[in-house]
Amino acid sequence: MRIGIDKDVCIGAGQCALTAPGVFTQDDDGFSELLPGRADGAGDPLVREAARACPVGAIAVHD
């Protein structure tokens, strides 16, 4: 699995970090980013749900 975050689309709603806090966090400006070493989702079953929870579709999950 590979996770991508479109920083040009992200509005900083934080739903990803709330849904899958073991994979996502927010930077100093409040925008989504992956935790270090988590670009593959680290086997977290909530990654896809976090992508669906994004209100602007800024997160893409690729197999």
Side-chain angles (χ1 to χ4, degrees), residues 3-57:
I3 304 166
I5 301 170
D6 187 337
K7 299 284 188 171
D8 293 328
V9 175
C10 181
I11 60 171
Q15 294 304 305
C16 57
L18 291 172
T19 305
V23 177
F24 297 96
T25 189
Q26 291 177 283
D27 65 17
D28 291 339
D29 294 320
F31 296 107
S32 179
E33 68 179 11
L34 294 167
L35 289 168
R38 303 295 187 182
D40 64 355
D44 191 320
L46 295 175
V47 169
R48 292 185 193 283
E49 182 59 33
R52 283 191 289 274
C54 180
V56 294

